[in-house]
Amino acid sequence: MSDKSGAVAATRRTLKELELREVILFGVFLLLVVIFSLLAPNFFKVGNFMNLGMYSASMAITAAGMTYVIISGGMDISVGAIMSCAGILTANMLLSLENVGLAVVGGLALGLLIGFFNGLLVTRLKVNAIIVTIGTMSILRGVVYLISGGRMVAFKRLPAFDYFGPARLGGVIPMALVIMLAVYLVLGFVLSRLRYGRHVYSTGSNPQSTLLAGIRVNRIVVSVFMLSGLCAALSGIILTSLLGAGMAQVGIGREIDIIAATILGGSSVKGGRGNLLGTILGVLIIGVVGNALTQLGLITFWQDIFKGAILILAVWFDQLRQK
Amino acid sequence: MPILEVRNIKKRFGGVEALKGVSFQLEEGEILGIVGDNGAGKSTLIKIIAGVHEKDEGEILVYGRPVSIREPKDAKQLGIETVYQDLALVDELDIPANIFLGREETFLGRLGGAIGLLNYRKMARDASRLLADLRVNIPHLFKRVRYLSGGQRQVVALSKVAFWGKKIVILDEPTAALGIQEANKVLELIRQLKERGISIIIISHNLQHVFKVVDKILVLRHGEQVGIREAHATTANEVVGLITGAEVVESV
């Protein structure tokens, strides 16, 4: 009997938590779609939604890794630069090797490696993750321009590489969306159903208690940065596939959107809180705002102003909720 | 045979002698209170037993066997559980998650264990059964513990220890910052742990609370052991005298 009531209570709790934040976020998303459809005539079009969906998918993948990092109490400012780096590397490898498998694995491995160094620096130097990853961001931005010379890296079009972006599954759904969905299903399962996921929450909420419980906190921290690097690299590869060329600037500045979306989605900068459903809703809201502002003809610095404002508002709401 | 014996433990931090040779024995099902002013060395002593600090000199014996405790894991493996003042629980996890933290129950045998597939149901069931056994009444099993009162948190932390600490439990200020009713509940729970045959070491500033539950009292001053008294054979006045140094120091 107690078994049953326990399970029921668990379900009820899940519903209750969903009720609040995610439903509000979804409402905001729908509201924005309605408002922008009325304001911008080209917004409510299948083509535009496909576009929005594909670019949001790439953002969402980076944001999934970011969610793990923020839940664990960290922050990864270098994701945008990792996206660019991995994209450029993959494009260069496609150009020289003409082998999709190697190029993709190379890009992903680079992301993992950078993430590993981020995690190592954060745990060994015991320096705030924001500072460490600002450092790696700056280094990577420089490296990207050194490699590419700031020029586009055009490679011979290989059909297999289209499966990382514009190719359509069953002729309908863009592969970018399919990959995103797969990433969210796997990472969502890990976060909510596996011991590792629980230890990520625990590390973010109280690293000392977690350590005293016999959990290797440093390993958790290094692993979430590696995951974040991997996600950012995959996202950079998808963008490269969508654009059909390697571009140094694809990820530059994207960290703001991604962090804003993740925090808006309910991940707490104090650690220990957040989930992937919230993150995807955050990504959709930021994506829709960016897309609509472009449709309305507002130049990019207005978008920067809006995104910065959303980031600050999201942090403020997070603070209010903590009380 | 004492379940835990500590012999002539010494510890220094730089130029400060935090412990100048402390010895005591803890019998099975016994409660030992450690008292002393701030900086007397109480925390250092329990942190050495818990594996947070390493001792410079001395011996620790469990069931008469010398043991080496270098990190918290070693202490846990010997059946020594510690409940720290502010570190007992993880705020953003619920009660079952806290009770099972680091020792989660999984499904699907070995494979499930290897990937760590959480068995929420079993953990929820065991947690609620445990709380019922201990006659603890907490209405919201699935609340994040940050929303629990100080007393409820302490009760959850002690329940966790009852569940996992098989032999020896160390409590750091278990009743600090609690109201009278909540403190009494915690003291009642400590007596229940003792009834289960668990040996307990309590650090506390509150002599009234100490006298309510302990069998023996160890008094420290400036890192020095100034006395061990049977609770029934001493008075609060004598203990206060030892703590402040008003009484003649007994030779150790």
Side-chain angles (χ1 to χ4, degrees):
Chain A
M1 193 222 116
S2 69
D3 177 25
K4 218 170 191 177
S5 65
V8 169
T11 323
R12 206 176 291 140
R13 172 198 59 152
T14 322
L15 284 180
K16 212 172 174 183
E17 285 192 357
L18 283 187
E19 257 168 44
L20 279 158
R21 186 169 196 100
E22 280 77 11
V23 168
I24 290 174
L25 284 174
F26 191 64
V28 169
F29 171 67
L30 288 182
L31 191 71
L32 286 172
V33 168
V34 170
I35 292 173
F36 291 139
S37 298
L38 294 175
L39 289 177
N42 288 325
F43 179 77
F44 202 79
K45 295 261 167 69
V46 176
N48 186 44
F49 280 159
M50 277 295 178
N51 238 340
L52 177 60
M54 283 193 281
Y55 285 92
S56 296
S58 123
M59 292 301 127
I61 289 170
T62 313
M66 181 67 77
T67 305
Y68 272 69
V69 173
I70 292 182
I71 290 174
S72 81
M75 182 61 74
D76 189 350
I77 311 286
S78 67
V79 288
I82 296 176
M83 286 164 71
S84 290
C85 250
I88 284 287
L89 180 72
T90 301
N92 272 307
M93 287 176 79
L94 283 172
L95 182 66
S96 53
L97 302 173
E98 298 194 4
N99 182 322
V100 174
L102 277 179
V104 169
V105 169
L108 295 179
L110 179 69
L112 268 180
L113 193 70
I114 297 167
F116 178 69
F117 274 111
N118 276 335
L120 215 58
L121 288 171
V122 169
T123 51
R124 299 284 163 232
L125 298 182
K126 295 187 173 67
V127 175
N128 188 311
I130 296 178
I131 304 299
V132 168
T133 53
I134 283 180
T136 41
M137 173 192 75
S138 183
I139 293 170
L140 294 176
R141 281 185 177 183
V143 167
V144 166
Y145 280 97
L146 274 180
I147 295 173
S148 67
R151 285 186 301 273
M152 205 169 85
V153 180
F155 45 85
K156 204 177 115 197
R157 190 151 172 251
L158 299 159
F161 192 55
D162 285 347
Y163 281 100
F164 286 90
R168 309 248 160 147
L169 188 74
V172 190
I173 312 162
M175 280 305 294
L177 277 177
V178 176
I179 294 172
M180 184 213 87
L181 217 63
V183 167
Y184 269 73
L185 285 176
V186 171
L187 293 187
F189 181 79
V190 170
L191 195 54
S192 64
R193 295 284 148 192
L194 295 192
R195 183 171 46 211
Y196 171 76
R198 176 167 287 176
H199 291 175
V200 171
Y201 282 100
S202 183
T203 299
S205 177
N206 193 335
Q208 283 164 297
S209 311
T210 308
L211 194 65
L212 288 172
I215 295 160
R216 294 191 169 94
V217 169
N218 280 353
R219 276 197 200 176
I220 302 276
V221 172
V222 172
S223 71
V224 294
F225 277 101
M226 288 174 75
L227 182 67
S228 175
L230 184 69
C231 286
L234 179 59
S235 168
I237 292 168
I238 287 173
L239 281 176
T240 305
S241 172
L242 286 172
L243 296 165
M247 293 188 197
Q249 65 271 28
V250 284
I252 306 299
R254 287 302 186 177
E255 54 280 346
I256 303 286
D257 303 23
I258 286 152
I259 292 165
T262 308
I263 293 171
L264 188 64
S267 295
S268 170
V269 284
K270 287 183 184 147
R273 276 186 184 226
N275 64 64
L276 287 179
L277 184 62
T279 297
I280 191 102
L281 289 167
V283 168
L284 283 175
I285 289 173
I286 300 272
V288 159
V289 170
N291 177 284
L293 291 182
T294 311
Q295 300 273 343
L296 289 170
L298 287 173
I299 21 185
T300 47
F301 57 75
W302 274 108
Q303 297 191 25
D304 290 342
I305 291 170
F306 271 101
K307 279 167 190 164
I310 289 177
L311 174 60
I312 290 167
L313 275 178
V315 174
W316 183 49
F317 282 136
D318 181 46
Q319 296 288 336
L320 287 182
R321 187 179 50 156
Q322 303 276 338
K323 282 170 191 164
Chain B
M1 189 196 298
I3 186 167
L4 176 73
E5 186 173 355
V6 159
R7 285 187 194 155
N8 199 28
I9 295 276
K10 290 183 186 172
K11 177 75 185 174
R12 109 194 331 280
F13 293 107
V16 184
E17 255 186 299
L19 290 174
K20 301 172 186 169
V22 177
S23 308
F24 67 82
Q25 297 185 339
L26 184 68
E27 304 291 335
E28 200 156 344
E30 191 179 47
I31 304 184
L32 169 75
I34 300 179
V35 299
D37 238 332
N38 290 331
K42 308 183 299 271
S43 288
T44 309
L45 179 58
I46 62 157
K47 279 179 176 161
I48 285 172
I49 300 169
V52 177
H53 294 321
E54 261 192 87
K55 60 187 184 326
D56 294 337
E57 273 178 57
E59 263 189 308
I60 299 174
L61 298 93
V62 174
Y63 282 122
R65 266 205 352 256
V67 293
S68 148
I69 302 177
R70 298 223 161 128
E71 49 176 330
K73 239 186 171 141
D74 299 336
K76 271 177 203 286
Q77 264 161 13
L78 291 165
I80 302 172
E81 279 284 345
T82 312
V83 180
Y84 296 98
Q85 237 168 323
D86 301 315
L87 294 177
L89 301 176
V90 175
D91 272 351
E92 301 293 349
L93 298 181
D94 62 16
I95 294 174
N98 264 292
I99 288 175
F100 285 90
L101 186 65
R103 287 175 276 211
E104 289 81 1
E105 294 279 352
T106 53
F107 286 126
L108 297 179
R110 269 193 157 159
L111 177 71
I115 64 167
L117 193 57
L118 294 175
N119 191 339
Y120 277 82
R121 266 193 192 198
K122 181 167 180 2
M123 289 190 273
R125 194 176 54 212
D126 288 357
S128 72
R129 190 175 294 156
L130 169 71
L131 295 181
D133 276 359
L134 293 169
R135 297 191 291 280
V136 167
N137 184 24
I138 293 182
H140 312 288
L141 199 57
F142 299 108
K143 244 188 183 174
R144 293 168 197 273
V145 299
R146 63 158 36 242
Y147 298 118
L148 300 181
S149 72
Q152 284 173 325
R153 289 170 61 93
Q154 197 57 255
V155 161
V156 171
L158 292 182
S159 305
K160 178 178 175 175
V161 151
F163 195 69
W164 294 108
K166 278 133 200 149
K167 297 178 195 164
I168 304 157
V169 173
I170 301 170
L171 307 175
D172 186 5
E173 298 280 1
T175 56
L178 296 188
I180 295 172
Q181 259 188 334
E182 291 205 304
N184 283 335
K185 243 180 214 165
V186 168
L187 292 173
E188 169 56 32
L189 193 52
I190 291 172
R191 271 187 226 110
Q192 280 196 46
L193 297 191
K194 175 189 161 89
E195 275 169 33
R196 291 175 167 226
I198 298 173
S199 310
I200 301 167
I201 298 172
I202 297 178
I203 285 193
S204 181
H205 275 101
N206 191 321
L207 282 185
Q208 210 190 338
H209 291 166
V210 168
F211 270 97
K212 269 186 184 166
V213 289
V214 303
D215 302 304
K216 268 195 308 208
I217 299 175
L218 168 71
V219 186
L220 298 178
R221 176 152 40 86
H222 303 314
E224 215 152 336
Q225 178 169 346
V226 290
I228 287 195
R229 297 284 185 275
E230 296 287 327
H232 61 81
T234 185
T235 61
N237 275 339
E238 188 195 6
V239 173
V240 170
L242 287 169
I243 291 171
T244 57
E247 202 113 321
V248 183
V249 176
E250 117 193 301
S251 59
V252 181

